[in-house]
Amino acid sequence: MRKNMWVGLMLVLVLVISACGGSKGNGNTGEQASTAPSSSAEATDSGAKENYKISISQYVEHPSLDATREGFIAALKDAGLVEGQNLTIDFNTAQADQANNQTLAQKIAADKSDLALGIATPSAQALVKEVTDRPVLFAAVTDPIDSKLVTNLDAPGGLVSGASDTNPAAITELMDFVAANFSKVKNVGLVINEGEPNAVVMAKIAEEALAKHDIKLVRAAVSNTSEVQQAAASLVGKVDALYITLDNSVVSSLDTLIKVANDNDLPFFASDRDTVERGAFATIGFKYYDHGYQVGQMAVDILKNGKKPGEMKVTVPDKLDLILNMKAAKEQGITVTDEMKNQVKDAASNIIE
């Protein structure tokens, strides 16, 4: 009897302990359930964060165009669009091949990016033709109207806008600088790919500006980068200085031109700061990084603020200054006068030692 009573008590005790354990288990489940909404909320917050994809088509890789792309990406990053976090960038280069250029544009058109960027006129033209369902921005384009990218710079309309890298005043001012400071220059040599619309437009402006000073522009035509060396050499003995536009085929072979200029004491004038930094003597210009940054800000306004590209004014460089490379001057037999230096507004930045 007593034995059965003890067995009964033991069974009751086991049941109580089991019940307590079960209650504890339910308590853990309850704690997990109470934290679940927090985790779920974090996931929701994370999911609510927008992710973007931008496709870039760049005609060729050279300092000015590369700096444009770097500035563009920097503007996105400063606005919180960071590659590898909430931004994917699909970068493509045509390597100065028009067939590749068209293929890339078709590839981007079939892709699911939120915005497309064309760097240089040929790439921008191909994108505008192929990409018709999302915003398209352009950079490093000389004449957006002549290139048929837009019909109005102040109100482009549609899905296209961007920034031109040419202020016609810069070309005219550079030619005036040549005439005023190089009295012996009567013929200026230009290596040019006549198939690049931007080069043609700039050459015409330069030719007209030089003509006012009775200076001739002597052209040496090329159809691709491999012909630049021979074309530059053909100008030696015929010209007193060299000049190049924002001609992608020519700039891609810049070292060849610098060597010809240095070996023959020919003052070498360029159309962009990056070329002067690498060895040309002078330009009236700006930083292509800043140019790209400006277009990047436009992209941010479109993606994050809902701006319509067609309502965004096409911009042109407005911070122009004379830029001189002192080392290049020595290589090209140029005596840099105080009068030349005094024309530089920001000497600390634009007189390159």
Side-chain angles (χ1 to χ4, degrees), residues 251-266:
V251 176
S252 296
S253 189
L254 181 60
D255 291 342
T256 295
L257 290 164
I258 292 172
K259 187 175 189 310
V260 170
N262 292 351
D263 289 350
N264 296 279
D265 285 344
L266 291 172

Side-chain angles (χ1 to χ4, degrees), residues 3-58:
K3 181 177 179 181
N4 290 339
M5 181 178 68
W6 279 109
V7 170
L9 289 172
M10 291 295 293
L11 287 172
V12 170
L13 183 60
V14 169
L15 288 172
V16 170
I17 292 173
S18 297
C20 291
S23 178
K24 186 176 180 180
N26 288 338
N28 286 343
T29 303
E31 288 171 5
Q32 290 171 353
S34 68
T35 58
S38 174
S39 298
S40 186
E42 288 174 7
T44 300
D45 290 344
S46 176
K49 190 175 183 180
E50 294 289 350
N51 293 289
Y52 300 96
K53 181 176 182 179
I54 294 177
S55 296
I56 300 177
S57 179
Q58 182 173 315

Side-chain angles (χ1 to χ4, degrees), residues 54 56 65-83 86-87 89 117 119 287-300 304:
I54 294 177
I56 300 177
L65 301 188
D66 293 342
T68 299
R69 185 179 75 253
E70 291 163 7
F72 177 82
I73 294 172
L76 297 173
K77 184 177 181 180
D78 288 347
L81 299 180
V82 183
E83 188 175 10
N86 60 345
L87 175 66
I89 294 179
L117 170 69
I119 302 179
K287 292 183 178 180
Y288 266 82
Y289 179 93
D290 294 340
H291 171 70
Y293 194 96
Q294 188 175 34
V295 182
Q297 290 176 314
M298 296 176 75
V300 171
K304 296 187 73 174

Side-chain angles (χ1 to χ4, degrees), residues 108-122:
I108 291 171
D111 201 1
K112 297 297 182 183
S113 57
D114 300 290
L115 180 147
L117 170 69
I119 302 179
T121 300

Side-chain angles (χ1 to χ4, degrees), residues 77-290:
K77 184 177 181 180
D78 288 347
L81 299 180
V82 183
E83 188 175 10
Q85 295 182 18
N86 60 345
L87 175 66
T88 299
I89 294 179
D90 174 32
F91 172 65
N92 308 271
T93 176
Q95 298 298 343
D97 186 303
Q98 189 57 39
N100 290 344
N101 196 47
Q102 198 63 38
T103 299
L104 289 177
Q106 292 168 349
K107 171 209 163 194
I108 291 171
D111 201 1
K112 297 297 182 183
S113 57
D114 300 290
L115 180 147
L117 170 69
I119 302 179
T121 300
S123 292
Q125 289 175 316
L127 285 181
V128 168
K129 178 182 177 182
E130 299 292 341
V131 181
T132 58
D133 60 350
R134 78 204 76 159
V136 176
L137 293 177
F138 56 80
V141 169
T142 298
D143 191 335
I145 292 179
D146 185 72
S147 302
K148 294 180 172 53
L149 298 175
V150 297
T151 57
N152 188 307
L153 298 181
D154 293 327
L159 293 171
V160 181
S161 191
S164 169
D165 62 354
T166 300
N167 184 330
I171 304 172
T172 301
E173 288 179 22
L174 181 60
M175 298 305 112
D176 290 345
F177 174 80
V178 173
N181 295 280
F182 295 82
S183 58
K184 294 183 179 179
V185 172
K186 301 301 179 185
N187 296 284
V188 174
L190 172 70
V191 178
I192 180 173
N193 180 353
E194 301 279 2
E196 289 207 27
N198 55 314
V200 174
V201 171
M202 295 182 72
K204 182 179 179 181
I205 296 171
E207 189 168 36
E208 291 174 352
L210 288 172
K212 294 178 181 178
H213 302 286
D214 295 323
I215 299 174
K216 290 183 63 177
L217 187 70
V218 181
R219 305 184 185 215
V222 299
S223 58
N224 56 59
T225 299
S226 65
E227 298 173 358
V228 171
Q229 182 175 9
Q230 183 177 352
S234 74
L235 291 170
V236 176
K238 299 177 184 177
V239 301
D240 312 300
L242 294 176
Y243 166 66
I244 59 171
T245 67
L246 299 174
D247 187 326
N248 296 298
S249 299
V250 177
V251 176
S252 296
S253 189
L254 181 60
D255 291 342
T256 295
L257 290 164
I258 292 172
K259 187 175 189 310
V260 170
N262 292 351
D263 289 350
N264 296 279
D265 285 344
L266 291 172
F268 182 14
F269 302 95
S271 297
D272 64 288
R273 179 190 180 90
D274 298 289
T275 299
V276 172
E277 288 180 346
R278 287 182 62 186
F281 167 58
T283 191
I284 302 289
F286 58 94
K287 292 183 178 180
Y288 266 82
Y289 179 93
D290 294 340

Side-chain angles (χ1 to χ4, degrees), residues 303-318:
L303 296 176
K304 296 187 73 174
N305 303 326
K307 290 274 187 78
K308 296 180 180 179
E311 297 175 357
M312 304 175 79
K313 181 178 179 179
V314 174
T315 61
V316 296
D318 55 4

